[in-house]
């Protein structure tokens, strides 16, 4: 089983606040890896370091290495914009661009990065919406506002927008936190389907969700990686008592 992302001695700060401490982890290709842990443990910061979004925050600092297919994303000369092209991000709250139609919300990234020769924008938009399991619901209203959709549809629209630029990795920061149970299940089913073509890392507070959709689970606590392994083992045979206490609801 191939490794898509290798993280070595990753440390991150917000000002003087040391948020991530010597994180070492290997994330498998075409698998879903769940990042769990209590609020403030560094989960969101961790995935933001994977596509260099952390560094855009004033006062933020990163040290260490993030290798994707053998390339160190933090090496000198690596373009952060290209990194974010390869590693897409979907945030906790659906954030379609309010002044854009459904079509333009999906197309905007493609317009920025440029169309490949011989490829039509309409084809990319349709393919991305189909991959996000949204095409059948919106194909007759592509030029209405993206914010006219329901919350669950907006989140799938954001996933379609991320997929349109053909990333290799998809990062999701609690993508179902603001969604109802039916929309949540649609997103989960979608992720299981998408892992055939993408490596997926998802931050979640929902233990049932992590158990349902992920192949691997990493437990963070106070900025440290406590435990990482196949999800069934983490949930049924954790090696660290802190992991067991968190999963069983004793804290967090």
């Amino acid at each position: 089983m191939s490794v898509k992302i290798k993280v070595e001695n990753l440390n991150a700060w917000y000002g003087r606040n040391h948020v991530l401490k010597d994180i070492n982890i290997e994330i498998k290709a075409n698998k879903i890896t769940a990042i769990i842990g209590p609020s403030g443990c560094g989960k969101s910061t961790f995935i933001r370091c994977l596509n260099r979004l952390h560094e855009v925050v004033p006062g933020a600092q990163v040290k260490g290495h993030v290798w994707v297919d053998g390339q160190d994303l933090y090496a000198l000369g690596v373009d952060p914009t290209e990194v974010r092209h390869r590693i897409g991000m979907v945030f906790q709250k659906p954030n379609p661009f309010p002044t854009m139609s459904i079509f333009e919300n999906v197309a905007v990234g493609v317009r920025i990065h440029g169309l490949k020769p011989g490829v039509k924008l309409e084809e990319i938009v349709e393919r991305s919406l189909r991959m996000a399991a949204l095409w059948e619901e919106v194909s007759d209203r592509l030029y209405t506002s993206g914010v006219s959709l329901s919350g669950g549809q907006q989140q799938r629209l954001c996933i379609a927008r991320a997929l349109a630029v053909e990333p290799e990795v998809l990062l999701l920061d609690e993508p179902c936190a603001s969604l109802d149970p039916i929309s949540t299940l649609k997103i989960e089913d979608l992720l299981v389907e998408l892992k055939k073509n993408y490596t997926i890392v998802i931050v979640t507070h929902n233990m049932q969700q992590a158990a349902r959709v992920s192949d691997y689970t990493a437990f963070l606590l106070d900025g440290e990686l406590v435990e990482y392994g196949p999800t069934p083992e983490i949930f049924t045979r954790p090696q660290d008592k802190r992991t067991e206490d968190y999963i069983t609801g004793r804290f967090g």
Side-chain angles (χ1 to χ4, degrees), residues 8-191:
E8 289 185 334
N9 301 321
L10 183 68
N11 288 265
W13 293 262
Y14 289 107
R16 295 183 178 179
N17 185 17
H18 196 178
V19 185
L20 295 177
K21 304 163 186 172
D22 294 320
I23 304 293
N24 291 277
I25 189 172
E26 293 185 347
I27 295 172
K28 305 295 191 296
N30 298 107
K31 299 295 181 184
I32 299 175
T33 299
I35 312 297
I36 64 171
S39 296
C41 71
K43 303 185 299 297
S44 295
T45 299
F46 172 70
I47 65 167
R48 290 172 68 91
C49 287
L50 298 183
N51 73 344
R52 295 187 58 171
L53 264 181
H54 176 69
E55 67 193 47
V56 305
V57 179
Q61 184 182 1
V62 180
K63 288 186 178 178
H65 302 279
V66 176
W67 305 84
V68 176
D69 292 336
Q71 180 189 29
D72 187 354
L73 302 186
Y74 284 91
L76 288 174
V78 174
D79 182 357
T81 302
E82 181 59 28
V83 169
R84 292 169 204 140
H85 184 187
R86 294 176 63 191
I87 304 176
M89 185 85 152
V90 177
F91 298 94
Q92 178 176 335
K93 186 177 179 181
N95 61 341
F97 299 121
T99 61
M100 292 185 182
S101 66
I102 293 167
F103 183 96
E104 285 300 327
N105 261 281
V106 180
V108 60
V110 181
R111 292 190 191 279
I112 291 170
H113 291 287
L115 273 170
K116 294 180 180 178
V119 179
K120 294 182 178 179
L121 189 60
E122 291 79 7
E123 294 173 355
I124 294 174
V125 170
E126 179 176 344
R127 185 192 70 225
S128 302
L129 288 169
R130 286 189 183 279
M131 285 193 295
L134 192 56
W135 175 256
E136 300 298 333
E137 297 169 39
V138 303
S139 60
D140 60 345
R141 48 178 170 147
L142 291 177
Y143 297 97
T144 59
S145 171
V147 295
S148 68
L149 301 175
S150 70
Q153 289 173 325
Q154 287 185 29
Q155 193 63 296
R156 281 182 283 148
L157 178 62
C158 293
I159 292 173
R161 185 173 67 198
L163 295 175
V165 297
E166 299 184 348
E168 302 164 31
V169 178
L170 195 59
L171 310 174
L172 302 105
D173 192 356
E174 295 191 64
C176 303
S178 61
L179 303 183
D180 62 83
I182 293 175
S183 296
T184 294
L185 286 175
K186 285 185 178 181
I187 297 288
E188 291 177 0
D189 290 343
L190 171 61
L191 296 182

Side-chain angles (χ1 to χ4, degrees), residues 206-252:
N206 186 324
M207 295 302 95
Q208 291 78 20
Q209 181 174 77
R212 281 193 301 263
V213 305
S214 70
D215 303 289
Y216 291 84
T217 296
F219 172 51
L220 296 184
L221 184 64
D222 296 329
E224 298 180 356
L225 178 61
V226 173
E227 194 164 349
Y228 172 61
T231 295
E233 293 183 14
I234 295 292
F235 276 82
T236 62
R237 298 182 299 277
Q239 301 300 303
D240 193 295
K241 189 176 185 306
R242 293 171 294 175
T243 309
E244 180 181 359
D245 287 347
Y246 180 73
I247 288 173
T248 55
R250 293 192 180 97
F251 74 92

